[in-house]
Amino acid sequence: MYFLFLDESGSPPKPNKADGKYLVIGGLIIPEGAWHGVARDFKKATANVRGELKWKYFGTGNTENALSHLSKEEKEQVRTDVFRTITSRKAIKLICCVTSVEAAYKRPTITSQDDVYHLTYKGVTERFQYFLQDATRVTGQSQFGIVVSDHRMAADDEKLRTRHHELIDTDERYTATYANIIETIFFSPSEASVGLQLADMVAGAVHRSFQYGENRFADAIKGSFRTSPQGTIPGFGLVRMPMQTFVAPGYQTFV
């Protein structure tokens, strides 16, 4: 069994405020057997963090949060150790979907912020399905997965749950068959989940790369992304939505 933990970075704005904005949903795939080791190392890496670890807390302008008592150097060490929790394990794979909000709104089917979010969700969960298909071929046994997402507002969660089931039960053209993803989508408060806090760190690193062209954090976790047999990340561990319609500076770090 594999768990896909999801969190987003960047909020999809309304159509009239979409210029140059990106939404990232970052995914962290953890097999059940690796869970306890990941949780143990995450606890060690965040021993000096007073509460939930969030990407936005590393910003110098944030005060009174779980990292505000740490120096810049101490924060950097926390981030390095947290990333090492991911990259030190071959069993962990990362998948992300990056949506150009401006490009998405040019599609006739995308008219709302929810549409943008659900488009991005489709991109990352399709790659999870492909990952499970690959694992099935390698092991010779059917491999299944469950999706766990950060809890947002109740209305947002219900809309996403509806979309999740539409994808699983879909007969839509150009949509993957989600045969290896089981059950509903599960929502959890991120402060209660190691997997979701790690997914937040992944999403934050990728968003910073695309939105601001600062690639050093994405570079630090690049080796853990799902790839093709030839080692290609784009289209396998990182997908752009709408597909192949935009290029951003941060994209080059994954090529």
Side-chain angles (χ1 to χ4, degrees), residues 15-223:
N16 62 345
K17 297 183 179 179
D19 293 356
K21 300 293 184 181
Y22 296 94
L23 171 67
V24 174
I25 295 183
L28 182 93
I29 301 172
I30 303 180
E32 57 178 317
W35 171 252
H36 288 290
V38 171
R40 181 188 63 245
D41 287 357
F42 180 82
K43 184 176 180 180
K44 290 179 181 177
T46 58
N48 292 326
V49 178
R50 296 175 179 173
E52 179 184 5
L53 182 72
K54 295 185 74 68
W55 175 268
K56 66 181 181 181
Y57 292 164
F58 287 90
T60 56
N62 292 310
T63 58
E64 300 302 320
N65 61 51
L67 298 177
S68 58
H69 63 290
L70 300 179
S71 67
K72 180 180 178 180
E73 292 74 20
E74 289 170 330
K75 290 180 182 179
E76 286 296 318
Q77 189 61 56
V78 169
R79 179 155 41 198
T80 297
D81 291 343
V82 167
F83 282 163
R84 189 178 295 117
T85 298
I86 297 171
T87 59
S88 64
R89 290 176 167 82
K90 292 183 179 180
I92 293 180
K93 295 299 177 185
L94 307 180
I95 50 176
C96 286
C97 183
V98 182
T99 294
S100 167
V101 183
E102 185 177 1
Y105 277 130
K106 292 179 181 178
R107 298 178 64 169
T109 56
I110 306 298
T111 61
S112 70
Q113 293 160 287
D114 286 335
D115 290 339
V116 174
Y117 195 95
H118 295 166
L119 176 69
T120 314
Y121 180 80
K122 177 177 180 286
V124 72
T125 51
E126 279 185 335
R127 268 60 196 175
F128 186 40
Q129 169 61 32
Y130 299 154
F131 168 86
L132 295 170
Q133 290 174 188
D134 290 344
T136 295
R137 283 193 293 269
V138 170
T139 63
Q141 296 180 326
S142 296
Q143 300 296 317
F144 299 101
I146 287 175
V147 179
V148 183
S149 180
D150 186 18
H151 167 70
R152 299 183 293 158
M153 300 294 290
D156 295 329
D157 289 353
E158 187 56 37
K159 290 175 185 176
L160 187 57
R161 181 180 288 111
T162 298
R163 182 55 179 156
H164 177 86
H165 286 284
E166 288 174 351
L167 290 170
I168 287 179
D169 301 327
T170 189
D171 56 3
E172 294 179 13
R173 193 179 181 189
Y174 307 123
T175 297
T177 300
Y178 285 68
N180 298 79
I181 297 178
I182 63 174
E183 259 291 354
T184 187
I185 179 174
F186 293 90
F187 295 99
S188 173
S190 55
E191 65 269 19
S193 171
V194 169
L196 291 177
Q197 291 179 66
L198 288 171
D200 174 77
M201 294 293 289
V202 171
V206 175
H207 184 263
R208 192 162 187 85
S209 180
F210 275 78
Q211 190 67 62
Y212 303 107
E214 185 177 355
N215 298 329
R216 68 185 180 99
F217 304 117
D219 284 339
I221 56 174
K222 181 179 175 180

